[in-house]
Amino acid sequence: MARKRTAPHGRRCGTMSAFYRLIERHPDYRRRLVALEGVVARRMRVAPPRRVGPITIPVVVHVVYRTAEENISVAQIRSQIRVLNRDYRATNPDRQKVPAVWKGLVGDPGVKFALATKNPQGKPTSGITRTKTQQSSFIDDDAVKSTATGGTNAWPRARYLNLWVCTLGDNLLGYAQFPGGPSRTDGVVILNTAFGTTGTVRKPFHLGRTATHEIGHWLNLHHIWGDGLHSCQDSDFVEDTPNQEGPNIGKPTFPHVTCNNGPNGDMFMNYMDYVDDASMFMFSQQQVIRMQTTLDGPRRQIGR
């Protein structure tokens, strides 16, 4: 009898472990990110004018599967694109749940996503590739991003956002690569049961917010607590997100106070925390500035 697949126990993102591995191999990667932080800091001090109209990013979804269940449907893929297009335009209906004190901080990144219509050779495409693998699962070591290790190669990052969808081990929901890293591994990896809102998705990661979270990293957002040792001393480099001790999981209730951040406490409903999909529903205004600085800088070649 086939073993029933279950969701991971709590949100776990592999972005930082993948990042540390890459900067050991590519020392220039850290220097590029430090330079980008300088640009971001200057734009934070003087809020830039809003871009006229949204940018549309072409997406290629690489489905890497071993079993028929892992070969997710077109409907499931399209459901994920719909979620991204709501979350990255702040039109998601659940944004109304943002506590009143922070409603004025809800930001619209001004980003749309669309499955690619042309492949790298200029031929028509559905924006979906399918690769059968012998691997039972992958981790955050980028093996899924190469045909040589059971996955599939990236399409050119200057023209596409690469999303790999596969079975992940180590209780991972996904991971992303910050801007400025190696081109052959650039993109986002998502667990197939946490991708979209239909088909094989499993509660509580069944509303497509794992991709929202990981694409935030791809656009240079950090975890809201700052990725440190839960000491209240770390920062996500964003002033309008309250300092918090560490990740929140599950479904917290407002206010949840840590790091002397009362009376309002943690902005746990932010997409860059670790809460369940149903409990995250906003980016902040300054997070939007970080993302737009990335789209005007190291990712300026992508999108229209």
Side-chain angles (χ1 to χ4, degrees):
M1 178 181 294
R3 183 179 175 183
K4 184 177 180 180
R5 302 173 68 196
T6 59
H9 303 292
R11 188 176 299 278
R12 180 165 180 260
C13 165
T15 295
M16 293 309 296
S17 59
F19 169 68
Y20 292 135
R21 186 182 298 111
L22 282 175
I23 61 174
E24 289 180 2
R25 298 174 183 170
H26 305 276
D28 286 345
Y29 184 18
R30 182 191 290 271
R31 287 192 284 272
R32 286 191 289 272
L33 279 175
V34 169
L36 177 58
E37 283 305 319
V39 176
V40 171
R42 288 191 291 274
R43 290 190 71 169
M44 290 288 191
R45 289 193 294 270
V46 181
R50 287 285 301 181
R51 186 183 292 110
V52 178
I55 183 174
T56 299
I57 295 178
V59 177
V60 55
V61 177
H62 303 291
V63 180
V64 180
Y65 67 98
R66 186 173 64 92
T67 68
E69 183 185 25
E70 294 171 345
N71 190 17
I72 63 172
S73 69
V74 172
Q76 185 168 344
I77 292 167
R78 291 191 180 279
S79 74
Q80 180 63 75
I81 300 298
R82 286 193 293 272
V83 170
L84 294 174
N85 283 333
R86 291 192 296 266
D87 292 351
Y88 278 83
R89 292 307 317 276
T91 60
N92 51 299
D94 54 358
R95 75 189 183 283
Q96 300 301 328
K97 299 179 184 178
V98 174
V101 68
W102 289 322
K103 284 188 184 295
L105 294 181
V106 175
D108 169 12
V111 179
K112 294 174 65 178
F113 300 85
L115 290 170
T117 58
K118 291 185 178 180
N119 70 13
Q121 292 74 43
K123 300 291 181 63
T125 179
S126 64
I128 302 167
T129 74
R130 298 183 184 275
T131 301
K132 191 166 177 59
T133 184
Q134 297 303 311
Q135 301 298 318
S136 59
S137 66
F138 295 89
I139 56 173
D140 55 17
D141 62 357
D142 290 333
V144 73
K145 302 175 182 178
S146 171
T147 57
T149 47
T152 192
N153 295 343
W155 287 11
R157 70 169 172 191
R159 296 164 56 191
Y160 308 95
L161 164 57
N162 287 272
L163 298 182
W164 287 268
V165 182
C166 63
T167 293
L168 288 168
D170 288 354
N171 210 43
L172 285 170
L173 282 174
Y175 70 99
Q177 183 170 297
F178 289 115
S183 59
R184 66 179 182 81
T185 54
D186 194 83
V188 171
V189 181
I190 306 291
L191 174 67
N192 44 31
T193 59
F195 191 80
T197 62
T198 189
T200 66
V201 293
R202 300 287 184 271
K203 292 182 178 180
F205 308 113
H206 61 303
L207 300 178
R209 263 53 193 274
T210 296
T212 302
H213 175 104
E214 299 300 344
I215 291 171
H217 288 311
W218 183 79
L219 290 172
N220 201 33
L221 295 186
H222 291 265
H223 290 129
I224 194 170
W225 65 92
D227 294 310
L229 299 176
H230 307 177
S231 63
C232 296
Q233 303 301 313
D234 299 292
S235 174
D236 62 351
F237 309 106
V238 175
E239 292 297 326
D240 61 0
T241 58
N243 191 30
Q244 69 182 54
E245 183 177 3
N248 289 290
I249 60 172
K251 297 179 173 65
T253 56
F254 174 82
H256 179 67
V257 176
T258 66
C259 294
N260 298 312
N261 61 11
N264 302 315
D266 298 352
M267 190 186 281
F268 59 80
M269 68 292 307
N270 193 284
Y271 292 124
M272 301 314 293
D273 207 336
Y274 265 16
V275 295
D276 292 350
D277 279 17
S279 294
M280 53 169 59
F281 27 79
M282 69 170 287
F283 289 116
S284 75
Q285 296 280 354
Q286 290 201 349
Q287 284 177 319
V288 167
I289 294 176
R290 285 188 67 86
M291 290 189 279
Q292 291 190 343
T293 302
T294 299
L295 289 167
D296 290 340
R299 299 206 184 280
R300 61 186 176 275
Q301 291 179 292
I302 196 168
R304 297 289 185 270

